[in-house]
Amino acid sequence: MTIVGLNLGKSSVRAIELEKKKDDIVVTNFGSYDNPRLNLESREKEDIDSFSNTLKHFFTEAGFSTPNVVSGLHESNLFMRVVKFPIMNDKELKTSVKYEADQYIPLPRDQYVLSYQKMDPDFTEKDKVNVQIVAAKKDALDNYVSIIKKAGLVPRAIEPETVALGRALGDKQDSPLGTMILKMGYSGTLVIVCYGGYVRFTRALPVGGEMLTKIIQQELNLEREQAEEYKKVYGADKFQAEGKVFEVIKPSLDNLILEVKRASVFFTKHNPSANIKRIILSGGTALMPGLITYIANNIDNEVQVANPLAGLTISPKMEKQKNVLIENSASYSTAVGLALRGLQ
């Protein structure tokens, strides 16, 4: 069985192809494409057609062997919440979830698609069960499906990016290890707390690659392309470029660290038996030089860069591309999690 995990960004595409062979999961292909002129968030026909045509061309050029994809829905297009319910049978739970959703989802019922997942007994109230409720904006979901189908692909599933990241980088049910994932992307950072194999808490923060590039551009009086290059080459390394780049982005990084600490305190306060043990950095911005060192020096947790390839085998046919994939693996974390969903 072969599936492609398809991570669509506002103006980017990242995809990875996995094949299940007996007890082994093999990476058989991968690829990415970025174009600031693309706009996934637009509902204009011209923009939708442009994105789907780009996606179709990307799949052809990359040489993926299957049109079957699992795609991720960005946090901004959904509402996710873990709610406690009394222990009940599945039929009663389904009815209760629909009722509770109306209390938590700030949209009319006909504007979202509802799904839920029973998790585990609550940490503090053993007579209750935790249920993860997800409401996806219907217009966003329809837009994703339209783009994927117009590209000639087959959408096998669409799920929250946060859930995919938890699957790729979080702990497992049989070996709980409180994990906070920071998906540092172009437009912002997603904070995702996983415990016992489930995503328990999410929060969106505005600090992302775009913001850092703009700060460097403004503060150092550079052209945008040069500012982007400075970010990628010097980043948060205070020993590079006389520390000028580091100094201008330091306030934003300090604010990010403060919010991460607050999220950790909030989660552990409500889940006292599930302390966070490690922080994992994923997404393209996570690869910025010096970032992991700076965060590790300013936070009381183990900090590591995401390795979504752990436990996977890279096909011998990809020998020439292997090092490129390994060096950029953190930016493929969501795609890997999506593909793993397709192989379940």
Side-chain angles (χ1 to χ4, degrees), residues 305-330:
V305 173
N307 179 20
L309 303 178
L312 306 181
T313 300
I314 299 177
S315 171
K317 296 178 182 179
M318 293 179 56
E319 190 60 38
K320 292 182 179 180
Q321 304 165 282
K322 183 176 180 179
N323 289 338
V324 175
L325 176 59
I326 292 173
E327 289 171 8
N328 295 278
S329 62

PDB file of all heavy atoms in Angstrom, residues 305-330:
ATOM      1  N   VAL A 305      15.252  19.018  17.688  1.00  0.00           N
ATOM      2  CA  VAL A 305      14.667  19.251  16.376  1.00  0.00           C
ATOM      3  C   VAL A 305      13.923  17.995  15.957  1.00  0.00           C
ATOM      4  O   VAL A 305      14.373  16.872  16.207  1.00  0.00           O
ATOM      5  CB  VAL A 305      15.748  19.606  15.330  1.00  0.00           C
ATOM      6  CG1 VAL A 305      15.151  19.680  13.933  1.00  0.00           C
ATOM      7  CG2 VAL A 305      16.407  20.927  15.682  1.00  0.00           C
ATOM      8  N   ALA A 306      12.772  18.167  15.332  1.00  0.00           N
ATOM      9  CA  ALA A 306      11.934  17.044  14.941  1.00  0.00           C
ATOM     10  C   ALA A 306      12.672  16.074  14.025  1.00  0.00           C
ATOM     11  O   ALA A 306      13.429  16.485  13.138  1.00  0.00           O
ATOM     12  CB  ALA A 306      10.685  17.561  14.231  1.00  0.00           C
ATOM     13  N   ASN A 307      12.420  14.795  14.257  1.00  0.00           N
ATOM     14  CA  ASN A 307      12.926  13.754  13.364  1.00  0.00           C
ATOM     15  C   ASN A 307      11.773  12.810  13.014  1.00  0.00           C
ATOM     16  O   ASN A 307      11.643  11.727  13.585  1.00  0.00           O
ATOM     17  CB  ASN A 307      14.072  12.973  14.007  1.00  0.00           C
ATOM     18  CG  ASN A 307      14.586  11.857  13.093  1.00  0.00           C
ATOM     19  OD1 ASN A 307      14.363  11.897  11.885  1.00  0.00           O
ATOM     20  ND2 ASN A 307      15.244  10.870  13.666  1.00  0.00           N
ATOM     21  N   PRO A 308      10.915  13.229  12.082  1.00  0.00           N
ATOM     22  CA  PRO A 308       9.758  12.407  11.734  1.00  0.00           C
ATOM     23  C   PRO A 308      10.128  11.125  11.000  1.00  0.00           C
ATOM     24  O   PRO A 308       9.273  10.263  10.790  1.00  0.00           O
ATOM     25  CB  PRO A 308       8.936  13.335  10.831  1.00  0.00           C
ATOM     26  CG  PRO A 308       9.962  14.215  10.192  1.00  0.00           C
ATOM     27  CD  PRO A 308      10.986  14.455  11.265  1.00  0.00           C
ATOM     28  N   LEU A 309      11.402  10.997  10.612  1.00  0.00           N
ATOM     29  CA  LEU A 309      11.833   9.806   9.880  1.00  0.00           C
ATOM     30  C   LEU A 309      12.209   8.660  10.811  1.00  0.00           C
ATOM     31  O   LEU A 309      12.498   7.550  10.343  1.00  0.00           O
ATOM     32  CB  LEU A 309      13.030  10.147   8.981  1.00  0.00           C
ATOM     33  CG  LEU A 309      12.818  11.272   7.967  1.00  0.00           C
ATOM     34  CD1 LEU A 309      14.091  11.522   7.180  1.00  0.00           C
ATOM     35  CD2 LEU A 309      11.663  10.951   7.025  1.00  0.00           C
ATOM     36  N   ALA A 310      12.221   8.916  12.115  1.00  0.00           N
ATOM     37  CA  ALA A 310      12.567   7.861  13.076  1.00  0.00           C
ATOM     38  C   ALA A 310      11.604   6.687  12.920  1.00  0.00           C
ATOM     39  O   ALA A 310      10.392   6.858  12.903  1.00  0.00           O
ATOM     40  CB  ALA A 310      12.498   8.413  14.496  1.00  0.00           C
ATOM     41  N   GLY A 311      12.151   5.503  12.783  1.00  0.00           N
ATOM     42  CA  GLY A 311      11.316   4.312  12.620  1.00  0.00           C
ATOM     43  C   GLY A 311      10.941   4.017  11.185  1.00  0.00           C
ATOM     44  O   GLY A 311      10.310   2.991  10.905  1.00  0.00           O
ATOM     45  N   LEU A 312      11.290   4.923  10.255  1.00  0.00           N
ATOM     46  CA  LEU A 312      11.004   4.707   8.845  1.00  0.00           C
ATOM     47  C   LEU A 312      12.277   4.280   8.109  1.00  0.00           C
ATOM     48  O   LEU A 312      13.389   4.568   8.545  1.00  0.00           O
ATOM     49  CB  LEU A 312      10.454   5.980   8.196  1.00  0.00           C
ATOM     50  CG  LEU A 312       9.227   6.634   8.843  1.00  0.00           C
ATOM     51  CD1 LEU A 312       8.812   7.861   8.038  1.00  0.00           C
ATOM     52  CD2 LEU A 312       8.069   5.656   8.955  1.00  0.00           C
ATOM     53  N   THR A 313      12.102   3.608   6.988  1.00  0.00           N
ATOM     54  CA  THR A 313      13.237   3.198   6.151  1.00  0.00           C
ATOM     55  C   THR A 313      13.225   4.027   4.878  1.00  0.00           C
ATOM     56  O   THR A 313      12.158   4.221   4.263  1.00  0.00           O
ATOM     57  CB  THR A 313      13.127   1.707   5.777  1.00  0.00           C
ATOM     58  OG1 THR A 313      13.115   0.921   6.961  1.00  0.00           O
ATOM     59  CG2 THR A 313      14.306   1.276   4.907  1.00  0.00           C
ATOM     60  N   ILE A 314      14.370   4.548   4.491  1.00  0.00           N
ATOM     61  CA  ILE A 314      14.464   5.309   3.244  1.00  0.00           C
ATOM     62  C   ILE A 314      14.844   4.350   2.119  1.00  0.00           C
ATOM     63  O   ILE A 314      15.819   3.622   2.221  1.00  0.00           O
ATOM     64  CB  ILE A 314      15.494   6.442   3.364  1.00  0.00           C
ATOM     65  CG1 ILE A 314      15.076   7.424   4.461  1.00  0.00           C
ATOM     66  CG2 ILE A 314      15.642   7.183   2.034  1.00  0.00           C
ATOM     67  CD1 ILE A 314      16.055   8.552   4.706  1.00  0.00           C
ATOM     68  N   SER A 315      14.058   4.352   1.063  1.00  0.00           N
ATOM     69  CA  SER A 315      14.273   3.431  -0.048  1.00  0.00           C
ATOM     70  C   SER A 315      15.668   3.595  -0.650  1.00  0.00           C
ATOM     71  O   SER A 315      16.153   4.722  -0.810  1.00  0.00           O
ATOM     72  CB  SER A 315      13.221   3.685  -1.126  1.00  0.00           C
ATOM     73  OG  SER A 315      13.523   2.953  -2.304  1.00  0.00           O
ATOM     74  N   PRO A 316      16.326   2.483  -1.006  1.00  0.00           N
ATOM     75  CA  PRO A 316      17.640   2.564  -1.667  1.00  0.00           C
ATOM     76  C   PRO A 316      17.591   3.368  -2.963  1.00  0.00           C
ATOM     77  O   PRO A 316      18.599   3.942  -3.386  1.00  0.00           O
ATOM     78  CB  PRO A 316      17.965   1.091  -1.953  1.00  0.00           C
ATOM     79  CG  PRO A 316      17.164   0.316  -0.958  1.00  0.00           C
ATOM     80  CD  PRO A 316      15.900   1.101  -0.774  1.00  0.00           C
ATOM     81  N   LYS A 317      16.397   3.450  -3.581  1.00  0.00           N
ATOM     82  CA  LYS A 317      16.258   4.209  -4.825  1.00  0.00           C
ATOM     83  C   LYS A 317      16.444   5.715  -4.594  1.00  0.00           C
ATOM     84  O   LYS A 317      16.624   6.470  -5.549  1.00  0.00           O
ATOM     85  CB  LYS A 317      14.879   3.955  -5.433  1.00  0.00           C
ATOM     86  CG  LYS A 317      14.638   2.517  -5.861  1.00  0.00           C
ATOM     87  CD  LYS A 317      13.234   2.337  -6.414  1.00  0.00           C
ATOM     88  CE  LYS A 317      12.960   0.894  -6.798  1.00  0.00           C
ATOM     89  NZ  LYS A 317      11.571   0.698  -7.310  1.00  0.00           N
ATOM     90  N   MET A 318      16.380   6.127  -3.308  1.00  0.00           N
ATOM     91  CA  MET A 318      16.494   7.553  -2.982  1.00  0.00           C
ATOM     92  C   MET A 318      17.876   7.922  -2.458  1.00  0.00           C
ATOM     93  O   MET A 318      18.040   8.950  -1.815  1.00  0.00           O
ATOM     94  CB  MET A 318      15.442   7.933  -1.938  1.00  0.00           C
ATOM     95  CG  MET A 318      14.012   7.861  -2.436  1.00  0.00           C
ATOM     96  SD  MET A 318      12.849   8.293  -1.149  1.00  0.00           S
ATOM     97  CE  MET A 318      13.444   9.910  -0.684  1.00  0.00           C
ATOM     98  N   GLU A 319      18.867   7.100  -2.737  1.00  0.00           N
ATOM     99  CA  GLU A 319      20.205   7.311  -2.191  1.00  0.00           C
ATOM    100  C   GLU A 319      20.752   8.703  -2.496  1.00  0.00           C
ATOM    101  O   GLU A 319      21.344   9.372  -1.632  1.00  0.00           O
ATOM    102  CB  GLU A 319      21.163   6.244  -2.732  1.00  0.00           C
ATOM    103  CG  GLU A 319      22.529   6.228  -2.052  1.00  0.00           C
ATOM    104  CD  GLU A 319      22.439   5.964  -0.554  1.00  0.00           C
ATOM    105  OE1 GLU A 319      21.604   5.150  -0.137  1.00  0.00           O
ATOM    106  OE2 GLU A 319      23.209   6.598   0.205  1.00  0.00           O
ATOM    107  N   LYS A 320      20.531   9.194  -3.713  1.00  0.00           N
ATOM    108  CA  LYS A 320      21.054  10.511  -4.096  1.00  0.00           C
ATOM    109  C   LYS A 320      20.337  11.651  -3.372  1.00  0.00           C
ATOM    110  O   LYS A 320      20.909  12.730  -3.190  1.00  0.00           O
ATOM    111  CB  LYS A 320      20.939  10.702  -5.609  1.00  0.00           C
ATOM    112  CG  LYS A 320      21.859   9.793  -6.418  1.00  0.00           C
ATOM    113  CD  LYS A 320      21.726  10.077  -7.906  1.00  0.00           C
ATOM    114  CE  LYS A 320      22.660   9.202  -8.715  1.00  0.00           C
ATOM    115  NZ  LYS A 320      22.543   9.451 -10.186  1.00  0.00           N
ATOM    116  N   GLN A 321      19.084  11.428  -2.984  1.00  0.00           N
ATOM    117  CA  GLN A 321      18.281  12.474  -2.328  1.00  0.00           C
ATOM    118  C   GLN A 321      18.267  12.325  -0.804  1.00  0.00           C
ATOM    119  O   GLN A 321      17.731  13.190  -0.110  1.00  0.00           O
ATOM    120  CB  GLN A 321      16.838  12.407  -2.835  1.00  0.00           C
ATOM    121  CG  GLN A 321      16.683  12.523  -4.333  1.00  0.00           C
ATOM    122  CD  GLN A 321      15.291  12.093  -4.768  1.00  0.00           C
ATOM    123  OE1 GLN A 321      15.005  10.909  -4.854  1.00  0.00           O
ATOM    124  NE2 GLN A 321      14.429  13.070  -5.016  1.00  0.00           N
ATOM    125  N   LYS A 322      18.834  11.253  -0.324  1.00  0.00           N
ATOM    126  CA  LYS A 322      18.724  10.893   1.096  1.00  0.00           C
ATOM    127  C   LYS A 322      19.190  12.013   2.026  1.00  0.00           C
ATOM    128  O   LYS A 322      18.490  12.374   2.978  1.00  0.00           O
ATOM    129  CB  LYS A 322      19.517   9.624   1.368  1.00  0.00           C
ATOM    130  CG  LYS A 322      19.420   9.105   2.799  1.00  0.00           C
ATOM    131  CD  LYS A 322      20.177   7.783   2.941  1.00  0.00           C
ATOM    132  CE  LYS A 322      20.085   7.260   4.364  1.00  0.00           C
ATOM    133  NZ  LYS A 322      20.806   5.961   4.501  1.00  0.00           N
ATOM    134  N   ASN A 323      20.359  12.567   1.767  1.00  0.00           N
ATOM    135  CA  ASN A 323      20.897  13.603   2.654  1.00  0.00           C
ATOM    136  C   ASN A 323      20.044  14.865   2.654  1.00  0.00           C
ATOM    137  O   ASN A 323      19.878  15.511   3.696  1.00  0.00           O
ATOM    138  CB  ASN A 323      22.341  13.940   2.257  1.00  0.00           C
ATOM    139  CG  ASN A 323      23.309  12.816   2.600  1.00  0.00           C
ATOM    140  OD1 ASN A 323      23.021  11.983   3.461  1.00  0.00           O
ATOM    141  ND2 ASN A 323      24.436  12.769   1.915  1.00  0.00           N
ATOM    142  N   VAL A 324      19.485  15.227   1.501  1.00  0.00           N
ATOM    143  CA  VAL A 324      18.613  16.397   1.417  1.00  0.00           C
ATOM    144  C   VAL A 324      17.372  16.189   2.275  1.00  0.00           C
ATOM    145  O   VAL A 324      16.940  17.088   3.011  1.00  0.00           O
ATOM    146  CB  VAL A 324      18.197  16.672  -0.048  1.00  0.00           C
ATOM    147  CG1 VAL A 324      17.183  17.812  -0.114  1.00  0.00           C
ATOM    148  CG2 VAL A 324      19.419  17.002  -0.888  1.00  0.00           C
ATOM    149  N   LEU A 325      16.794  14.988   2.209  1.00  0.00           N
ATOM    150  CA  LEU A 325      15.610  14.681   3.008  1.00  0.00           C
ATOM    151  C   LEU A 325      15.926  14.725   4.496  1.00  0.00           C
ATOM    152  O   LEU A 325      15.169  15.320   5.273  1.00  0.00           O
ATOM    153  CB  LEU A 325      15.068  13.301   2.637  1.00  0.00           C
ATOM    154  CG  LEU A 325      13.887  12.794   3.469  1.00  0.00           C
ATOM    155  CD1 LEU A 325      12.708  13.749   3.376  1.00  0.00           C
ATOM    156  CD2 LEU A 325      13.479  11.387   3.023  1.00  0.00           C
ATOM    157  N   ILE A 326      17.037  14.131   4.884  1.00  0.00           N
ATOM    158  CA  ILE A 326      17.413  14.099   6.302  1.00  0.00           C
ATOM    159  C   ILE A 326      17.656  15.507   6.833  1.00  0.00           C
ATOM    160  O   ILE A 326      17.195  15.872   7.916  1.00  0.00           O
ATOM    161  CB  ILE A 326      18.660  13.209   6.515  1.00  0.00           C
ATOM    162  CG1 ILE A 326      18.299  11.736   6.249  1.00  0.00           C
ATOM    163  CG2 ILE A 326      19.216  13.377   7.928  1.00  0.00           C
ATOM    164  CD1 ILE A 326      19.480  10.802   6.257  1.00  0.00           C
ATOM    165  N   GLU A 327      18.362  16.345   6.062  1.00  0.00           N
ATOM    166  CA  GLU A 327      18.662  17.710   6.491  1.00  0.00           C
ATOM    167  C   GLU A 327      17.404  18.560   6.653  1.00  0.00           C
ATOM    168  O   GLU A 327      17.341  19.457   7.486  1.00  0.00           O
ATOM    169  CB  GLU A 327      19.595  18.384   5.470  1.00  0.00           C
ATOM    170  CG  GLU A 327      21.020  17.838   5.491  1.00  0.00           C
ATOM    171  CD  GLU A 327      21.851  18.365   4.344  1.00  0.00           C
ATOM    172  OE1 GLU A 327      21.363  19.278   3.629  1.00  0.00           O
ATOM    173  OE2 GLU A 327      22.980  17.869   4.138  1.00  0.00           O
ATOM    174  N   ASN A 328      16.382  18.265   5.857  1.00  0.00           N
ATOM    175  CA  ASN A 328      15.152  19.059   5.880  1.00  0.00           C
ATOM    176  C   ASN A 328      13.969  18.297   6.470  1.00  0.00           C
ATOM    177  O   ASN A 328      12.819  18.712   6.307  1.00  0.00           O
ATOM    178  CB  ASN A 328      14.807  19.506   4.455  1.00  0.00           C
ATOM    179  CG  ASN A 328      15.833  20.452   3.872  1.00  0.00           C
ATOM    180  OD1 ASN A 328      15.804  21.647   4.148  1.00  0.00           O
ATOM    181  ND2 ASN A 328      16.738  19.928   3.070  1.00  0.00           N
ATOM    182  N   SER A 329      14.228  17.213   7.170  1.00  0.00           N
ATOM    183  CA  SER A 329      13.156  16.339   7.639  1.00  0.00           C
ATOM    184  C   SER A 329      12.169  17.042   8.569  1.00  0.00           C
ATOM    185  O   SER A 329      10.969  16.735   8.559  1.00  0.00           O
ATOM    186  CB  SER A 329      13.741  15.107   8.343  1.00  0.00           C
ATOM    187  OG  SER A 329      14.497  15.489   9.483  1.00  0.00           O
ATOM    188  N   ALA A 330      12.651  18.016   9.356  1.00  0.00           N
ATOM    189  CA  ALA A 330      11.747  18.709  10.289  1.00  0.00           C
ATOM    190  C   ALA A 330      10.604  19.402   9.560  1.00  0.00           C
ATOM    191  O   ALA A 330       9.487  19.484  10.074  1.00  0.00           O
ATOM    192  CB  ALA A 330      12.527  19.732  11.121  1.00  0.00           C
TER     193      ALA A 330
END
